[in-house]
Amino acid sequence: MSGDTSQLGSRKDVEKGIGMLMSADSTEDEAGPSKKPRTGHISETLLIEQSELLLKQYLFKPLPDSFLPSTGSQVLQWLFDFTELKVPVTPLFYEQMLALQGPQQCLIPVLVEAPAVTTFTDLLQTAPRLPFSSEQNTAVYVCSFIDRCWQTLAKYSPTNLHYDLMLNQASQLSNVSSHAMVHKLRPDTMLVADNCTLMLGEDMHTDLAAAYAALSRKRVDLSGMHYGPVKFMLGYAPAGTTVQWCFLPEKADQPVQVMGDRLDVRSAKGRLSFLLSLVQAYRLLAAILLMEGSTVLKQIKNFKKYEDRQKTCLAAIKRAYDAAGRAANEAKRAGNPQYLVTCASPPRLVKNLFEVRTLPCGYSSHVFSEQDLHAMASACCKAAQVLHTNKLVHRDFRLPNVVQLAHQQYMVIDLESVADVTAKRLPKNFHNVLKVCNAEALDADGRFTPLSDMYSIGVLLREAHVSVNSQAVTFIDKLMDKELTAEAALIWLQREWSQTKTEERYCKENPTY
């Protein structure tokens, strides 16, 4: 197993482990590692946020620009490349693994009992109950392992993949052997998302060769429609406690390929390899669906009520998408990346139901460095300039509304929040509708202006929590002081915010940033 060469070998090292999260007043009993950190006082919201932070930091680092593999060998290399992955687990389990198997390069001890940490630790330390007496036992264990892992990733990771794990009831809910089943029946397990099949599983009691053969046979009846934008499927063939990954190309005349070594989930090492490969499979398939999928359909029910609550109108939203389309065409002609979402067809209203198909698809933004933050700032300011030039304000510049298209390429979305610059004074409770519309954002007359957008961009950049140099700090301050228009901000980014001088770190000067 490949991995980081850093080692955490002692109790002292564990307590200083990279990225360990611990609240200011939570402590560990001096009696030893068997005592759990006192986390009862930590709110559920904070624990969820810590799960999200852990997955983003250790399992969902930015993907390479050209990372989308399509051949069996490329997928194999991706699936088992654990170099930058670390699974967050409890310190007690980490020390147990340390004692039994030596340095653990793909584990990181974390003191806070965040939900993701609890789930991963349980998956890794809980061995299957042996012996498996039937094919059903194999299916239940493997499917449960996959589902718990992917549910955790879907809930806490930056990439939310909405999937269904579908079981073949005839096979999974009885003790019949797959040898007795008609081969035309669908596979034992199908994992489906966005109307395409991503993964197939074929379980056997003990015969791995038979599981592999059944997977190959049942895959023949699948058409290109099942594959959707993903031109291959992943397959797994479990037999007893052994799991084998497979590659299923879209063309039926191409054989199913075995990928990697067999993984024996009886051992913690085998379960760790299986879990890490599942993380890689999730990241890969979710990214392909997002990047290769054509459009995203956005709908707003009872749009008349939405217009009144949001203080916007259909005409303003249409103008925003028109302006965004022109900006995208200009960027394309200049060979530059898109920075403002566009639509495949104009927004429309059908019986009070608003619909628009937006493109391109992106994934949740990753901001790890000052260079990332500079690129995000540039995309936001360019988007604001386009809207402001067309007498519109976005009114919802927040991190969730900036998606990532590729490495250091960001795009602003959610144009359904736009309004005319000439809009009237907003109600006092409007911040409950749009979070960025607080007293600091509005002007003296209670109106949301173009400078309010710039203030919101400043808040967005500050909340990214990235260590930056003094020029970046000044830039963010100027935005929040409403001293920069979108045009002036872009000039400031080009001339003043140097991405090379990083000696002065504002995080050290002011920890609240």
Side-chain angles (χ1 to χ4, degrees):
M1 183 185 304
S2 60
D4 192 323
T5 57
S6 61
Q7 300 175 0
L8 302 176
S10 66
R11 180 66 183 169
K12 186 176 181 181
D13 290 330
V14 171
E15 292 176 347
K16 293 182 178 179
I18 300 172
M20 288 196 303
L21 298 179
M22 187 174 181
S23 64
D25 56 345
S26 68
T27 58
E28 186 171 9
D29 196 301
E30 295 179 358
S34 62
K35 298 291 185 179
K36 295 181 178 180
R38 295 198 299 268
T39 57
H41 64 285
I42 300 178
S43 69
E44 181 179 356
T45 300
L46 179 58
L47 290 176
I48 290 173
E49 289 176 351
Q50 289 171 339
S51 287
E52 294 171 349
L53 177 61
L54 288 167
L55 265 62
K56 179 178 179 179
Q57 184 172 3
Y58 293 118
L59 295 177
F60 280 78
K61 292 187 178 181
L63 299 167
D65 289 340
S66 56
F67 78 100
L68 298 180
S70 57
T71 66
S73 60
Q74 292 172 343
V75 173
L76 169 62
Q77 183 178 2
W78 168 264
L79 210 61
F80 290 95
D81 181 7
F82 307 149
T83 306
E84 296 187 349
L85 302 187
K86 286 184 180 292
V87 180
V89 295
T90 62
L92 177 58
F93 177 70
Y94 180 86
E95 289 187 342
Q96 292 171 346
M97 291 290 288
L98 198 66
L100 290 173
Q101 301 181 9
Q104 298 298 309
Q105 300 170 351
C106 292
L107 296 178
I108 185 76
V110 179
L111 289 177
V112 168
E113 295 176 340
V117 177
T118 302
T119 300
F120 289 146
T121 300
D122 187 53
L123 287 173
L124 294 176
Q125 72 180 2
T126 305
R129 295 181 180 179
L130 300 175
F132 284 166
S133 59
S134 67
E135 176 185 323
Q136 183 182 2
N137 295 141
T138 301
V140 168
Y141 176 80
V142 175
C143 286
S144 174
F145 194 104
I146 294 173
D147 199 34
R148 290 186 66 192
C149 175
W150 277 37
Q151 285 283 3
T152 301
L153 300 178
K155 188 172 184 179
Y156 302 118
S157 77
T159 306
N160 191 351
L161 178 63
H162 299 283
Y163 71 91
D164 290 317
L165 192 61
M166 304 166 58
L167 304 180
N168 187 330
Q169 301 295 318
S171 174
Q172 306 299 352
L173 300 183
S174 68
N175 287 326
V176 300
S177 166
S178 289
H179 294 291
M181 295 176 63
V182 179
H183 79 274
K184 291 286 187 181
L185 292 177
R186 67 174 175 82
D188 293 342
T189 309
M190 298 176 69
L191 194 146
V192 179
D194 289 355
N195 297 318
C196 71
T197 305
L198 302 179
M199 193 157 68
L200 304 181
E202 190 67 25
D203 313 301
M204 289 291 174
H205 181 200
T206 58
D207 192 343
L208 187 61
Y212 171 76
L215 190 64
S216 302
R217 188 171 60 244
K218 294 184 180 180
R219 163 258 187 175
V220 172
D221 293 322
L222 299 176
S223 68
M225 179 183 67
H226 292 91
Y227 287 79
V230 186
K231 299 308 178 185
F232 63 86
M233 292 183 195
L234 293 179
Y236 65 94
T241 61
T242 303
V243 181
Q244 175 69 66
W245 281 104
C246 301
F247 177 84
L248 286 64
E250 181 180 20
K251 295 182 179 179
D253 58 347
Q254 296 179 354
V256 173
Q257 305 170 31
V258 171
M259 293 196 298
D261 297 331
R262 298 175 180 180
L263 306 177
D264 191 343
V265 295
R266 289 178 298 180
S267 69
K269 180 179 180 181
R271 292 191 293 275
L272 178 58
S273 293
F274 189 37
L275 188 147
L276 288 167
S277 61
L278 283 170
V279 171
Q280 290 293 72
Y282 180 97
R283 295 176 68 201
L284 172 63
L285 295 172
I288 292 178
L289 281 178
L290 285 171
M291 304 308 290
E292 299 294 340
S294 55
T295 61
V296 173
L297 175 63
K298 185 167 186 177
Q299 295 180 320
I300 300 175
K301 297 179 180 179
N302 197 357
F303 186 71
K304 296 298 182 183
K305 183 177 180 180
Y306 174 88
E307 282 182 312
D308 180 65
R309 186 176 72 250
Q310 300 284 332
K311 307 303 177 187
T312 186
C313 63
L314 181 62
I317 296 173
K318 286 184 174 181
R319 282 170 47 214
Y321 276 108
D322 286 343
R326 293 191 297 270
N329 290 333
E330 292 175 6
K332 185 177 181 180
R333 285 194 295 269
N336 296 323
Q338 187 170 333
Y339 52 84
L340 190 57
V341 69
T342 56
C343 59
S345 56
R348 63 174 187 167
L349 196 60
V350 181
K351 295 182 178 180
N352 209 21
L353 174 67
F354 172 88
E355 287 187 345
V356 63
R357 286 193 173 274
T358 64
L359 74 164
C361 300
Y363 51 94
S364 297
S365 296
H366 299 273
V367 184
F368 292 103
S369 67
E370 183 178 334
Q371 289 73 25
D372 293 342
L373 196 68
H374 188 280
M376 177 177 283
S378 177
C380 290
C381 292
K382 287 178 180 177
Q385 183 184 36
V386 168
L387 295 175
H388 298 170
T389 301
N390 287 273
K391 307 299 181 183
L392 296 166
V393 282
H394 187 279
R395 302 192 304 168
D396 205 12
F397 277 105
R398 296 181 296 116
L399 281 172
N401 290 332
V402 183
V403 299
Q404 189 166 359
L405 301 178
H407 181 55
Q408 294 182 1
Q409 293 182 14
Y410 300 92
M411 180 180 73
V412 176
I413 61 171
D414 201 10
L415 296 184
E416 289 67 39
S417 62
V418 300
D420 287 307
V421 169
T422 56
K424 299 179 181 179
R425 179 186 180 93
L426 294 172
K428 290 184 178 180
N429 65 342
F430 197 68
H431 64 276
N432 293 324
V433 179
L434 287 176
K435 301 301 180 184
V436 301
C437 291
N438 52 37
E440 291 80 8
L442 305 181
D443 68 4
D445 297 324
R447 295 180 305 132
F448 198 96
T449 69
L451 287 178
S452 302
D453 266 343
M454 305 314 295
Y455 169 88
S456 301
I457 294 173
V459 174
L460 178 157
L461 298 176
R462 184 190 65 182
E463 292 181 347
H465 299 296
V466 175
S467 182
V468 295
N469 62 29
S470 58
Q471 294 101 321
V473 173
T474 302
F475 176 72
I476 294 172
D477 287 343
K478 284 182 174 292
L479 289 176
M480 297 186 65
D481 290 339
K482 301 180 183 177
E483 296 179 8
L484 296 176
T485 64
E487 184 178 0
L490 288 170
I491 295 174
W492 224 96
L493 281 169
Q494 294 174 353
R495 297 180 181 177
E496 303 295 336
W497 180 353
S498 169
Q499 299 181 65
T500 57
K501 296 180 181 180
T502 57
E503 295 85 2
E504 299 179 58
R505 297 294 181 180
Y506 192 71
C507 286
K508 294 181 180 179
E509 301 170 6
N510 186 347
T512 62
Y513 258 55

